[in-house]
Amino acid sequence: MRYLKPDPVPDELIERVLHAATCAPSPGNSQGWHFVVVDDPATKAPIAAAIEAAMAERVAAMPRPDRTMRLMLDGTAALIGALAQAPVIIFVTGGVVYPPAAPREQFTWSALYPASQNILLAARALGLGTTFTTLHMVAEPTVREVLGIPDDVRIAATIPLGWPAARFGPLRRTPVAEVAHRNHFTAAWPGAVGEAR
Amino acid sequence: MRYLKPDPVPDELIERVLHAATCAPSPGNSQGWHFVVVDDPATKAPIAAAIEAAMAERVAAMPRPDRTMRLMLDGTAALIGALAQAPVIIFVTGGVVYPPAAPREQFTWSALYPASQNILLAARALGLGTTFTTLHMVAEPTVREVLGIPDDVRIAATIPLGWPAARFGPLRRTPVAEVAHRNHFTAAWPGAVGEAR
């Protein structure tokens, strides 16, 4: 949902969404996440400006070969242009020090992205709109400075949150049969079933 | 759910779980995922053996300072010991070439881990048990060889799937107030609300 009303979102609902995030799995249940909820206009403004400066022209220039791409990129452009008006932006951050002796970056993403996805699903269940973005990546120094993110903390997702200003649309996805495989990467799904081959 | 019955899981349910996975977001809707569903005992056996060889002693030696850690690590040990008996193991793999000119690894994880989380939630809604693991990481050469995973494809998660052989337990998580922040990484949640400060 890339179009949001400016109406505020009650703290209680934000907490329910964040609670869902904390229900995500993490390596050894390490839970190395920190959720920075931004609703102060003075905090949103410099972040939104930096993202817009880095992205607006780029998105405008991206090819829109079909209706699906046009809808997505027009929505992205609108989202970037109105980011400062999103009532809430949740930044999913953290650092998973796992295994303790030799932490690997993949473990951090394996916790933060499931938590991010839970935010999307919990918000949708409450009637709230979100978009899963990594927009911070185009303006990460500004985001880090404004939010005071420590150097050893990674930022996984930038999730605008608010009441939807458009209809939740259908998803457009490649069918399961084209991305699933049975017992080997080169085998088709459903393919032969175990012992029945 | 680290304890699974050996009973088979109907393809129809696996497809519903995979469909949920494909509903995850991905950069520019690139959907660079491939799900390898392993149910052939001859395919499971060498993978399970390699993971058990790499992990069983390590998990047995991990400290269990409290009941929560004991339950988790005993469950992990049981899961590793019985991995070959899990009716299905889903490997979430893929490579997200995004942005096309200069792909960044973080984009791959930003798609594959939300898809993995959707697998867990869809399975749970169907009464199926899963555990979100990265067990392939301890035996990745074997997993790659047995499943024929190309070198440029990453493996995000190893998800055993089956009917639960224990009760779904309560989650133990740090409270939201301890991991949420308002407008700054060092600020508490709920803290001051926007303009009301």
Side-chain angles (χ1 to χ4, degrees):
Chain A
M1 174 52 62
R2 298 186 178 88
Y3 301 87
L4 300 175
K5 296 179 183 173
D7 310 57
V9 178
D11 277 6
E12 185 203 330
L13 297 187
I14 296 172
E15 285 178 23
R16 288 176 66 180
V17 164
L18 293 180
H19 179 260
T22 66
C23 291
S26 58
N29 203 24
S30 46
Q31 306 176 63
W33 39 54
H34 287 273
F35 306 96
V36 185
V37 180
V38 175
D39 62 353
D40 181 357
T43 308
K44 276 185 285 183
I47 292 173
I51 289 172
E52 186 172 15
M55 279 295 282
E57 283 188 33
R58 206 188 302 180
V59 172
M62 286 179 182
R64 289 156 165 77
D66 55 36
R67 184 171 178 277
T68 301
M69 283 299 285
R70 182 172 60 74
L71 284 174
M72 186 178 75
L73 291 175
D74 287 356
T76 301
L79 182 70
I80 291 169
L83 201 55
Q85 282 76 54
V88 175
I89 307 174
I90 300 175
F91 293 86
V92 179
T93 78
V96 174
V97 184
Y98 191 88
R104 292 175 62 175
E105 179 168 303
Q106 186 174 346
F107 283 116
T108 295
W109 306 129
S110 81
L112 300 187
Y113 282 122
S116 302
Q117 177 66 2
N118 276 8
I119 288 176
L120 263 70
L121 297 176
R124 180 69 181 81
L126 293 168
L128 289 161
T130 61
T131 309
F132 194 117
T133 88
T134 51
L135 285 172
H136 58 275
M137 289 172 74
V138 301
E140 196 150 334
T142 300
V143 173
R144 288 185 171 277
E145 187 184 346
V146 171
L147 301 182
I149 311 287
D151 288 345
D152 61 346
V153 170
R154 307 302 304 264
I155 311 176
T158 297
I159 304 178
L161 173 82
W163 300 105
R167 281 188 304 173
F168 287 102
L171 300 181
R172 293 173 192 279
R173 295 291 191 273
T174 305
V176 166
E178 293 180 31
V179 294
H181 312 276
R182 189 166 224 137
N183 293 312
H184 197 274
F185 194 84
T186 61
W189 174 268
V193 179
E195 297 170 17
R197 291 187 308 178
Chain B
M1 173 52 62
R2 298 185 179 86
Y3 301 88
L4 300 175
K5 296 179 183 171
D7 309 56
V9 178
D11 277 6
E12 185 203 328
L13 297 187
I14 296 172
E15 285 177 23
R16 288 176 66 178
V17 164
L18 294 180
H19 180 259
T22 66
C23 291
S26 58
N29 201 24
S30 46
Q31 306 174 64
W33 39 54
H34 288 273
F35 306 96
V36 184
V37 179
V38 175
D39 62 353
D40 180 358
T43 307
K44 275 186 285 184
I47 292 173
I51 289 171
E52 187 172 14
M55 280 295 281
E57 283 188 34
R58 205 188 301 180
V59 171
M62 286 179 182
R64 288 155 165 76
D66 55 35
R67 183 172 178 277
T68 301
M69 282 300 284
R70 182 174 59 74
L71 284 174
M72 186 177 75
L73 290 175
D74 288 356
T76 302
L79 181 70
I80 291 168
L83 200 55
Q85 282 77 53
V88 175
I89 307 174
I90 300 175
F91 294 86
V92 179
T93 79
V96 174
V97 184
Y98 191 88
R104 291 177 61 176
E105 179 168 303
Q106 186 174 344
F107 283 115
T108 294
W109 306 128
S110 80
L112 299 187
Y113 282 123
S116 303
Q117 177 66 2
N118 276 8
I119 287 175
L120 264 69
L121 298 176
R124 180 69 181 82
L126 293 169
L128 288 161
T130 60
T131 309
F132 193 117
T133 89
T134 51
L135 285 172
H136 58 274
M137 288 171 74
V138 301
E140 197 151 332
T142 299
V143 174
R144 287 185 171 278
E145 188 184 344
V146 171
L147 300 182
I149 311 286
D151 288 345
D152 61 346
V153 170
R154 308 301 304 264
I155 310 176
T158 297
I159 305 177
L161 172 82
W163 300 106
R167 280 187 307 171
F168 287 101
L171 300 181
R172 294 171 192 281
R173 295 291 192 272
T174 305
V176 167
E178 293 180 31
V179 293
H181 312 276
R182 190 167 223 135
N183 292 313
H184 198 274
F185 194 84
T186 62
W189 173 268
V193 178
E195 297 169 18
R197 292 186 307 178

